[in-house]
Structure formats: C-alpha cells, structure tokens
Amino acid sequence: MNGAARFTERLAEGLAARGHQVHVAAPSPTGRPDRQVVRGVTVHHIRSFRYPLYERFRVGSWWRGAALPLLDELRPDVVHLQAHFTVSRGFAAAATARGIPLVATNHLMIENVFDHLPVPRIARGPVTRLVWRDLGRVFGQASVVTTPTPRAVELLTAATGLQALAVSCGIDATGFRASSRRWEHVRSAPGWEPRVLFVGRLDPEKRVDELLRAFALLPRDLPARLEIVGRGSCSDSLRTMAEELGVGWRVDFRGVVTDAELEEAYGRSDVFCMPGVAELQSIVTLEAMATGRPVVAADAMALPHLVEPGRNGFLFTPGDVRGLAGHLETLLRDPELRRRMGAASEVLVSRHSQQATLERFEDIYDEVAHGRIVRLRRAA
C-alpha cells in the first residue's frame, strides 16, 4: 500500500476503461499463484513468499522462467515495469528474451528501502550505490524510462546515468471535489474545529513525528484537530508520542480506510500536511489539492513542484518543527486564507489530470511498440 501501487492500479484501470487489454503481474497476497479479473484488469498473482521484516509485504518470484509462459500466452505489445525488484526483474529478462519492448517507471527512493532493510548506517553508502547500479541494469533494458517529476528525473539520471521522461502520476479529481462540496456547510458551521490531515504510510521517512510535535506547539486557544490516515511500522510509537505530548485527545488515528472513506477524510479536512522527505511526487498531496485544500509540505525532493509558497500553501525546512507549527497556525486562524489557497490548489492540480497521464502513456506505448523508439541513450 503505497503511491507506486496506487499509481499502477489507476493506470491499469484507466487504460482498460479506454479499451486496452491490460494484464498486471504482481506477487500473490496468499503465496499461491492465481488469476482473476478486477475492474476490467486481469491480475496474475505470481507465487510469492512472506517478507519477515514488514507486515503484508510479499516477495514474488524473480526468475525469467516464471515470466516466459505468461508472455508466450499473452503476447503483449509492451511490458511496463513499475519497479526493478523480483517480479519486474523476471519480466524484464523474459520480455528482452522474446523481443517485447519495455517501458519502465521509477518510484524508488532509497530512504524507503532502508526503512525495511536492516542495513547499518556505515554500510548505507555502498548499499545505495549497489541498489542504483542494479536498477540501472534492469531499467537499462527499457526503451523508455519515466518517473513522475523533473526532480525525480534529475535524481534518477544522477544515480544511474539513464535518461528519463517526467510523466505525472495523474489524478481524477471528480470524487475529491464532490467530497469537498458535501462537507462545505459542515466545515463552515459555528463551532467547527479546523482539521489538519495527513495521509500515508506511518514509516520513518514520512516524518509524522515532526507533524505531531508541531501540532503540540499550537496555542491552546486555537481549536484544531489532527487526523492521521494510514498505518506502518511507526503506528504504535506515534500513538504513544501523541499521548506523551498531551494532544492524544485531539489526534484521530484512522488506520487503513476504503477509497470512499479516504475521500471523506479529505472532504472534512481544512489543511493538508505532508512532512515526508522522500516523495518523488506524492499522490496524496495531489488528492488533497484536488479537494481544494491548502498544503503545508517539507521543502524536500519533489514536493516544491506541487506547493507554491504563498499561493497554495507553505514549505518548511525538514526538521524545523517550529516553522511547521507556525505555518499550520497561520492557516488554522484564517478561513479566508484557507479558501484562497485551496482554490489555487485546484488550479495547480489541473496540470496533473489522469486523462493526460493515460494519453501520454498511450503515446509512449505506441512509439515503442512500432519501433519508433528503440532505446533512449544513457546520459553523458
């Protein structure tokens, strides 16, 4: 459950809705291989094994022999990789062996890897170089490599030498805007306590602890609530921290929610906060913007592509808890500023429509399937 998985799901379903035959190969959630059709997409669950260090994460088969029979059966025009580990590695080798063109999208941030691998800090430099070198070998087989933002392109090229195209993950804003309208009268009623919302995995790189500490610094005369949607390796420690900071009664931990419940969480929010420092784009920030919410985000990685300070929100220096608290207080005390910045968010997010993303990938698939792009050259 992460941004890459959500992007893959929406891309597959969006392409199927546009008349394409779409098959997704992914690790089996039970370990046993099977096949099912989900909302117009045929999902092939590859035999998998439990990863002991992270809940609900499974490692799929990576050898080429596991992928060849499926490619021979389906004879796809294009194989699109969403990672370079396990399942994608096997399909990259199999597609190359069968002469099927590859497209690859990078979602990797090395900080995310270290949260789930027991790598001592002294070894992280060499491991980082090893992981990027490995990604370069796998993605180097692709005709086109994409990644969500220009900042992500810079990171990938610097680490691997690969050229890449920036293609936004895209978003369908319809449901989020409808949720905002449903909550509009409630949020403007007397006695409403403005809500700050965070959505994402509760893992170290998301820096939710900084958000909790900043929320605890808000003046006591300022009525506000903090809503946290998601779960992860830090779930228990964050709950404990909220109690120790004396704000537990004002913090709602929602855990994992359905898509409909997520839209409602955005709808009843007043301010969205993304303190994470490892965002190649941040789909949840796009969703908050589509709902018409101002955003307070870390000045890190690709978040400055989404937040224009003073227009649709504020950026803060990672680790500057007081600065974060100041931005939250400014927005929580000023309903008109929230309305103006939220309207700007809706304008800015229009650059990231899901239809534009689907059309861009259709063009890329067409180019590589017909041999008009054979292989992008490595950067000098």
Side-chain angles (χ1 to χ4, degrees):
M1 301 182 83
N2 57 31
R6 297 292 284 173
F7 164 72
T8 305
E9 176 186 34
R10 292 171 179 174
L11 176 65
E13 292 180 8
L15 290 167
R18 292 168 73 91
H20 302 287
Q21 295 182 36
V22 183
H23 295 257
V24 172
S28 169
T30 65
R32 298 183 300 275
D34 70 359
R35 181 180 304 194
Q36 58 183 288
V37 177
V38 181
R39 295 187 291 277
V41 177
T42 304
V43 181
H44 304 265
H45 285 142
I46 308 300
R47 186 177 299 281
S48 68
F49 310 91
R50 183 177 178 275
Y51 181 65
L53 300 181
Y54 196 75
E55 180 188 13
R56 298 182 67 189
F57 188 84
R58 303 197 61 97
V59 178
S61 301
W62 59 85
W63 47 88
R64 186 178 73 170
L68 282 171
L70 186 58
L71 292 186
D72 290 341
E73 173 193 346
L74 300 177
R75 302 179 65 82
D77 298 290
V78 178
V79 170
H80 188 168
L81 310 178
Q82 299 295 334
H84 78 286
F85 298 116
T86 64
V87 172
S88 290
R89 178 184 303 270
F91 275 85
T96 300
R98 290 293 187 261
I100 301 170
L102 282 171
V103 173
T105 294
N106 181 53
H107 304 279
L108 176 71
M109 280 292 294
I110 198 67
E111 289 85 352
N112 301 337
V113 175
F114 289 145
D115 282 336
H116 311 304
L117 282 178
V119 179
R121 288 196 173 275
I122 194 172
R124 290 191 173 188
V127 171
T128 294
R129 291 188 290 274
L130 178 64
V131 171
W132 281 119
R133 191 179 306 120
D134 185 47
L135 183 145
R137 283 195 296 265
V138 176
F139 278 20
Q141 301 170 78
S143 297
V144 172
V145 178
T146 77
T147 194
T149 60
R151 179 69 185 91
V153 170
E154 294 173 3
L155 174 70
L156 179 67
T157 300
T160 67
L162 294 174
Q163 286 190 345
L165 305 176
V167 182
S168 173
C169 292
I171 185 173
D172 180 357
T174 307
F176 302 103
R177 288 173 179 161
S179 177
S180 181
R181 289 193 294 270
R182 285 194 296 272
W183 280 90
E184 187 172 350
H185 294 301
V186 178
R187 292 171 45 249
S188 60
W192 173 258
E193 291 184 311
R195 289 174 178 256
V196 178
L197 176 66
F198 167 84
V199 177
R201 287 178 295 105
L202 303 187
D203 289 330
E205 81 277 4
K206 297 297 183 181
R207 304 283 187 96
V208 182
D209 59 313
E210 293 184 7
L211 173 56
L212 278 175
R213 291 201 296 272
F215 189 75
L217 290 176
L218 294 176
R220 293 297 177 182
D221 69 335
L222 179 61
R225 298 196 68 83
L226 172 60
E227 189 166 344
I228 296 176
V229 173
R231 71 178 176 193
S233 59
C234 298
S235 296
D236 292 340
S237 62
L238 290 171
R239 288 176 182 271
T240 300
M241 174 181 283
E243 295 297 332
E244 292 175 345
L245 290 171
V247 295
W249 62 281
R250 292 198 295 155
V251 180
D252 301 314
F253 287 89
R254 302 293 184 186
V256 176
V257 300
T258 65
D259 286 352
E261 290 169 336
L262 179 60
E263 289 179 1
E264 294 304 299
Y266 286 119
R268 64 177 170 261
S269 70
D270 296 273
V271 177
F272 184 79
C273 184
M274 174 46 69
V277 295
E279 304 294 320
L280 287 185
Q281 182 163 53
S282 183
I283 290 176
V284 294
T285 302
L286 290 176
E287 292 171 346
M289 292 169 64
T291 314
R293 299 296 175 261
V295 177
V296 180
D299 189 3
M301 276 307 297
L303 291 171
H305 287 299
L306 301 180
V307 180
E308 296 187 9
R311 183 179 179 191
N312 73 315
F314 300 104
L315 296 172
F316 71 96
T317 302
D320 182 7
V321 173
R322 290 194 176 276
L324 171 55
H327 292 319
L328 293 177
E329 181 180 358
T330 297
L331 285 165
L332 291 170
R333 288 195 183 278
D334 192 337
E336 176 56 29
L337 180 62
R338 296 199 300 269
R339 186 205 61 77
R340 178 171 59 80
M341 286 190 167
S345 281
E346 290 192 68
V347 173
L348 292 171
V349 83
S350 63
R351 306 170 183 170
H352 301 274
S353 77
Q354 185 180 37
Q355 291 306 308
T357 295
L358 293 172
E359 290 170 5
R360 186 71 180 100
F361 277 111
E362 283 177 327
D363 290 342
I364 291 171
Y365 298 153
D366 186 64
E367 292 282 312
V368 300
H370 291 91
R372 291 192 289 273
I373 299 178
V374 178
R375 187 75 54 83
L376 285 179
R377 298 174 63 183
R378 285 180 178 264

